[in-house]
Amino acid sequence: VVAIRYVKTLIESSPGCHITIPQLSKSSGLSASILTRCFKFAFQVSVLKYHLFISMEYAKALVEEGTSVKEVAIRLNYHSISNFNKAFKKVFGVLPSAFMMKK
């Protein structure tokens, strides 16, 4: 349980970083399969979906501050703005540009 909370904290503390299951597995001392199963059991969401949600919450905050979509995509290590837009829309249901217009 402590290792799973540690993984959650790692994800939350690095929203702009690309994190993989093998990296989290090594950091937590758990095998990848145990990590993914226990994380999903504890938080009702997969590790990768949780990381996506945390990253997109960070992106939303940057967009609200007026950071350009291109800059946010770069900060989150997306190789294309199109992929970033798809991820943002998957989480929030709108493109970042439309989200900016709502504010």
Side-chain angles (χ1 to χ4, degrees):
V1 175
V2 173
I4 297 301
R5 284 193 206 128
Y6 175 69
V7 167
K8 185 175 185 267
T9 302
L10 277 176
I11 292 169
E12 292 169 347
S13 65
S14 52
C17 296
H18 177 71
I19 297 176
T20 65
I21 299 291
Q23 290 169 333
L24 293 172
S25 175
K26 185 176 180 180
S27 295
S28 67
L30 299 172
S31 71
S33 61
I34 295 291
L35 167 65
T36 55
R37 262 187 276 144
C38 290
F39 193 95
K40 185 155 188 161
F41 179 79
F43 304 111
Q44 289 75 50
V45 66
S46 73
V47 175
L48 296 178
K49 282 187 180 180
Y50 187 71
H51 182 257
L52 175 63
F53 176 76
I54 294 298
S55 296
M56 291 301 112
E57 282 291 325
Y58 175 64
K60 182 174 86 169
L62 292 173
V63 168
E64 286 177 328
E65 292 172 0
T67 307
S68 74
V69 173
K70 181 179 179 180
E71 176 62 28
V72 174
I74 290 168
R75 286 191 195 182
L76 292 175
N77 296 310
Y78 278 86
H79 296 293
S80 78
I81 294 174
S82 175
N83 286 343
F84 169 71
N85 283 336
K86 287 176 190 173
F88 194 94
K89 186 172 182 176
K90 182 177 183 179
V91 173
F92 297 113
V94 295
L95 293 171
S97 56
F99 184 84
M100 287 171 50
M101 287 182 219
K102 285 184 177 181
K103 300 294 169 191

